[in-house]
Amino acid sequence: MSKQDLRESSVPYSRLPPNPNHQNVVVLPVYYHLPYDNFRCLRRCLAIAVVVLLFSAAAFFLYPSDPALELARLQLNHVGVHSSPKLTLDLSFSLTIRVRNRDFFSLDYDKLVVSVGYRGRELGVVSSAGGRVRARGSSYVNATLDLDGLEVVHDVIYLLSDWAKGVIPFDTNTQVDGDLGLFLFKIPLKGKVSCEVYVNTSNQTIVRQDCYAK
């Protein structure tokens, strides 16, 4: 090896000319999420879901609903049609109405009203005193409707025809108005049930009755 080669090899690295093909590489550190952060986020999401579920369940169970009415018993006491001197109707019904409170608070009702009609026209109304139905409980209310010497002005032809056939259709409507005691508030509620009653004029009995709630 010559002296010139020795001198070239002894040149420091800092004095070497820059290489145009040289590239700088920057190495960034890798960050990892800690398992505790993932667990805390999951726990927070579960807590929010539980709170929403509890509020939804409370709204479902505490939301007030109208009382359910059911015609537990209907008895025909008497029915009669008189044609002289005027066309009049004698009718007597005894009813037992079941008032069912479906809410988790007590229900106070002012009165229970029962009306009887013929072919869409009201013949008479009877009302009973008010009362209280405990939460998720039922109460039975008795009522008697008596119509004596009711003059029939409309639907005379239909009434005579039904009397000749031996079966007269009547319709009954039962309604109850009350207040639901929700903490310090009073929420008005209303329930109604309608029935179609077919009465046999020969043996003074009820042939069929069809009821539906409104």
Side-chain angles (χ1 to χ4, degrees):
M1 178 180 295
S2 64
K3 293 182 179 181
Q4 184 178 0
D5 294 335
L6 290 174
R7 286 195 301 269
E8 290 178 354
S9 59
S10 62
V11 177
Y13 179 78
S14 60
R15 291 185 178 182
L16 293 177
N19 188 357
N21 297 325
H22 180 73
Q23 295 181 355
N24 295 326
V25 179
V26 178
V27 180
L28 298 177
V30 179
Y31 296 95
Y32 296 95
H33 293 285
L34 296 178
Y36 178 75
D37 295 337
N38 294 333
F39 176 75
R40 183 171 57 182
C41 181
L42 179 61
R43 186 174 59 183
R44 185 178 304 172
C45 294
L46 288 177
I48 295 175
V50 170
V51 171
V52 173
L53 183 61
L54 290 177
F55 272 105
S56 301
F60 176 78
F61 287 106
L62 298 180
Y63 188 81
S65 57
D66 291 330
L69 298 183
E70 179 184 348
L71 186 61
R73 183 182 66 89
L74 177 61
Q75 179 180 350
L76 176 66
N77 300 326
H78 174 69
V79 60
V81 176
H82 308 281
S83 58
S84 179
K86 296 180 180 180
L87 185 63
T88 58
L89 175 67
D90 294 340
L91 182 65
S92 177
F93 277 117
S94 294
L95 309 94
T96 300
I97 308 298
R98 180 192 179 195
V99 183
R100 184 165 62 93
N101 182 13
R102 296 176 289 187
D103 297 314
F104 288 88
F105 300 90
S106 61
L107 171 68
D108 295 325
Y109 63 94
D110 300 328
K111 60 181 179 179
L112 188 142
V113 180
V114 181
S115 64
V116 175
Y118 173 72
R119 294 190 177 272
R121 297 183 184 275
E122 187 177 282
L123 299 178
V125 179
V126 63
S127 61
S128 64
R132 166 173 287 192
V133 184
R134 58 183 175 84
R136 308 290 293 177
S138 300
S139 177
Y140 292 87
V141 182
N142 298 318
T144 302
L145 176 63
D146 292 319
L147 300 176
D148 294 327
L150 178 65
E151 184 177 354
V152 180
V153 179
H154 304 281
D155 303 320
V156 175
I157 298 177
Y158 292 108
L159 181 59
L160 293 176
S161 177
D162 292 335
W163 181 264
K165 294 178 182 177
V167 176
I168 301 179
F170 294 100
D171 50 86
T172 64
N173 293 306
T174 305
Q175 180 174 318
V176 61
D177 298 327
D179 296 321
L180 183 69
L182 183 60
F183 300 110
L184 299 178
F185 303 96
K186 294 293 185 180
I187 302 177
L189 298 177
K190 179 184 294 185
K192 188 174 183 179
V193 61
S194 299
C195 298
E196 295 179 355
V197 183
Y198 296 86
V199 175
N200 189 314
T201 59
S202 300
N203 53 15
Q204 304 284 304
T205 58
I206 296 175
V207 179
R208 189 176 84 250
Q209 63 182 36
D210 301 321
C211 298
Y212 53 94
K214 290 186 176 180

